[in-house]
Amino acid sequence: MDNLFTEIDKAAKHAVAPLAVRMRPRTLDEMVGQAEAVGEGSWLRNAIENDQLSSVILFGPAGTGKTSLAHVVAESTKAAFVEVSAVGGTVSDLRREIDAAEKRLTLSGLHTTLFIDEIHRFNRSQQDALLHAVEDGIVVMVGATTENPFFEVNSALISRSRIVELKALADEDISLMIRSALEDARGLAGRYCLDADAEQAIVLLAGGDGRVALTTLELASELALPTTGKGKARITEDAVRKATPHRSLAYDKNKDQHYDVISAFIKSMRGSDPDAALYYLALMIEGGEDPKFIARRIFILAAEDIGNADPQALLVAHAAFKSAEVIGYPECRIILAQAATYMALAPKSNAALKGIEAAQSEVRKGPARKVPDPLRDRHRPGSEGYGAYLYPHSYPAGWVDQRYLPEGLEKGCFYQPGERGWEAYRHEAAAKDRPL
């Protein structure tokens, strides 16, 4: 139970807290940029305003307001609010809070909202410890995660919760947060003026992350020029760049963004767009992606999507992979870029992929087929009755009409060459029923 002394203690801590903490919204109306999640008519807004919240998992990128929204719940509902961080929390911590919540409910009828930050970091046994408490209504769980909960959170826990997704903030949302922080008494209290190009720089560097935007603003204010005639210090673009020289990238090498970006990279090369391929390559490099992982994907694409339309692509991809192994960053980025643009510009064919898939399907599902006698191994008794094998090099064209496929399978049943690049020559030859 809070008293005068705890309130004074909270106020003292708040006064020295980072700007991003001081500017946390206190009401739903102060939430920025999440109209779909908490706007008028949304399930979550109605649940909070009517104090009828059930367990919910807030899912979205960093800096979108998940923790802030949890604190709005604390301020807007009558339930006791307790917090456990999955970073350092244990099963014992959870059970202690659940036991305390059960006592509150039994003795005074007071419900408890249990906020779990980074819930995806809890292992399965820790998540399982929550199940009965959530199911029996002992606690209303509010979980926050940057990862897709359907992959990272126990399915039983998901089935007992509502999933609410928060989106990355738009540029105009970031600008609104910045301007509010400049003037609000909890923030910079009107002591600074911000140049227009400085505001644009903060928006760009934030990358949709509100926390990064406010942190950058606070750091830049420490480098502001002396007060002007209006009594305000001036925050310039140069101060912003010095405070945060690199843009914040929403890229996690092992999670959703990782898979989204590599997927876009592959599809851009397959779609013959070298500019898009370079963009996604740059995202991965700046995000610290393993160059061997990138090179492996290029290697696979060379066979899967280019194949014999340009057999040279496989050699280029192999060279890129070796460079990633023996050279590494920063130099191998150039070789990766060359390989990626080569793949994007190369003629495309997936005939090899489709061919092996069709052949494997036949082997798995078709009847057992006998190797034609002329092709069978000759190192066994009775092989003289197999019939003559026609040696192609004994013929002027280096080719002779001869059955290679087992009976029941005919030419073109698996490999159907395309009409682009080197493979087009084989396409023409197939039409004439002979090789070039």
Side-chain angles (χ1 to χ4, degrees):
M1 181 70 69
D2 287 349
N3 54 39
L4 176 62
F5 297 104
T6 56
E7 290 297 326
I8 293 173
D9 188 44
K10 284 182 180 179
K13 289 180 179 178
H14 191 269
V16 297
L19 179 62
V21 174
R22 302 200 308 272
M23 288 302 300
R24 274 182 179 156
R26 296 158 294 187
T27 66
L28 287 172
D29 290 333
E30 290 183 358
M31 289 288 298
V32 173
Q34 301 298 344
E36 186 176 341
V38 294
E40 292 293 339
S42 66
W43 168 83
L44 186 54
R45 188 184 190 97
N46 289 336
I48 294 172
E49 289 179 340
N50 294 316
D51 201 6
Q52 295 179 340
L53 185 65
S54 58
S55 291
V56 61
I57 297 175
L58 306 175
F59 155 49
T64 51
K66 298 183 294 297
T67 302
S68 295
L69 184 52
H71 285 275
V72 168
V73 169
E75 295 294 329
S76 306
T77 61
K78 297 176 181 178
F81 184 85
V82 294
E83 182 173 349
V84 173
S85 173
V87 175
T90 65
V91 172
S92 297
D93 295 327
L94 280 177
R95 287 176 177 158
R96 183 181 63 250
E97 295 297 349
I98 291 170
D99 289 344
E102 190 167 12
K103 289 177 182 177
R104 285 189 204 98
L105 189 60
T106 302
L107 297 176
S108 61
L110 181 64
H111 290 85
T112 300
T113 299
L114 174 62
F115 175 54
I116 305 174
D117 199 12
E118 306 283 353
I119 191 172
H120 62 276
R121 294 182 182 272
F122 270 160
N123 60 37
R124 293 296 176 182
S125 64
Q126 289 171 309
Q127 292 181 25
D128 286 343
L130 287 165
L131 287 177
H132 292 302
V134 171
E135 189 171 34
D136 296 342
I138 296 170
V139 299
V140 171
M141 181 195 71
V142 177
T145 175
T146 56
E147 309 305 333
N148 189 326
F150 292 101
F151 296 142
E152 302 295 335
V153 178
N154 188 320
S155 59
L157 199 55
I158 287 178
S159 70
R160 293 162 173 79
S161 308
R162 183 79 173 255
I163 307 296
V164 174
E165 183 175 3
L166 276 64
K167 305 293 179 62
L169 298 176
D171 289 353
E172 54 268 27
D173 298 325
I174 297 291
S175 290
L176 182 62
M177 292 181 70
I178 292 169
R179 293 168 189 172
S180 177
L182 280 168
E183 301 302 325
D184 197 296
R186 297 175 298 153
L188 300 182
R191 299 190 303 272
Y192 300 89
C193 62
L194 181 67
D195 289 355
D197 52 1
E199 180 179 321
Q200 291 176 1
I202 293 175
V203 170
L204 176 65
L205 290 165
D209 187 323
R211 187 184 299 107
V212 169
L214 293 177
T215 300
T216 301
L217 175 63
E218 185 172 30
L219 293 173
S221 70
E222 297 170 1
L223 300 173
L225 296 177
T227 53
T228 64
K230 298 179 181 179
K232 294 185 177 183
R234 178 183 164 211
I235 302 174
T236 65
E237 181 182 8
D238 183 59
V240 172
R241 299 291 180 188
K242 287 179 179 177
T244 311
H246 299 292
R247 183 177 184 178
S248 174
L249 289 176
Y251 187 84
D252 187 322
K253 289 184 286 184
N254 300 309
K255 302 299 180 182
D256 282 355
Q257 187 72 2
H258 160 86
Y259 293 111
D260 287 346
V261 173
I262 194 62
S263 175
F265 178 59
I266 293 166
K267 289 171 182 172
S268 297
M269 291 186 290
R270 179 185 297 142
S272 302
D273 190 329
D275 295 298
L278 286 173
Y279 176 77
Y280 295 117
L281 175 61
L283 270 180
M284 290 187 287
I285 292 171
E286 291 299 313
E289 185 60 82
D290 182 353
K292 293 191 292 296
F293 171 80
I294 300 171
R296 278 195 296 270
R297 303 313 303 176
I298 295 174
F299 212 160
I300 295 167
L301 177 128
E304 181 177 339
D305 293 295
I306 298 171
N308 288 324
D310 182 359
Q312 185 74 16
L314 203 58
L315 302 180
V316 172
H318 179 262
F321 184 77
K322 292 304 292 183
S323 80
E325 280 191 321
V326 303
I327 299 175
Y329 290 140
E331 290 85 356
C332 81
R333 68 191 172 94
I334 307 168
I335 303 161
L336 291 174
Q338 179 183 347
T341 51
Y342 188 100
M343 303 304 149
L345 296 171
K348 304 298 189 295
S349 170
N350 67 345
L353 170 66
K354 292 172 68 177
I356 189 59
E357 286 181 342
Q360 285 183 290
S361 177
E362 169 62 30
V363 169
R364 293 186 190 116
K365 301 175 183 178
R369 299 184 188 277
K370 180 183 175 184
V371 174
D373 284 346
L375 304 187
R376 295 174 68 186
D377 179 59
R378 302 284 169 158
H379 298 88
R380 61 166 61 94
S383 62
E384 61 274 6
Y386 288 169
Y389 166 62
L390 306 180
Y391 187 55
H393 294 294
S394 298
Y395 297 83
W399 175 84
V400 61
D401 188 12
Q402 180 172 219
R403 170 170 282 279
Y404 292 96
L405 281 166
E407 291 293 336
L409 298 174
E410 301 300 329
K411 290 181 181 179
C413 59
F414 303 130
Y415 185 63
Q416 298 177 1
E419 302 181 16
R420 292 174 294 278
W422 183 88
E423 203 168 41
Y425 295 106
R426 184 66 192 94
H427 180 83
E428 179 183 344
K432 298 177 181 178
D433 196 30
R434 64 172 180 79
L436 288 177

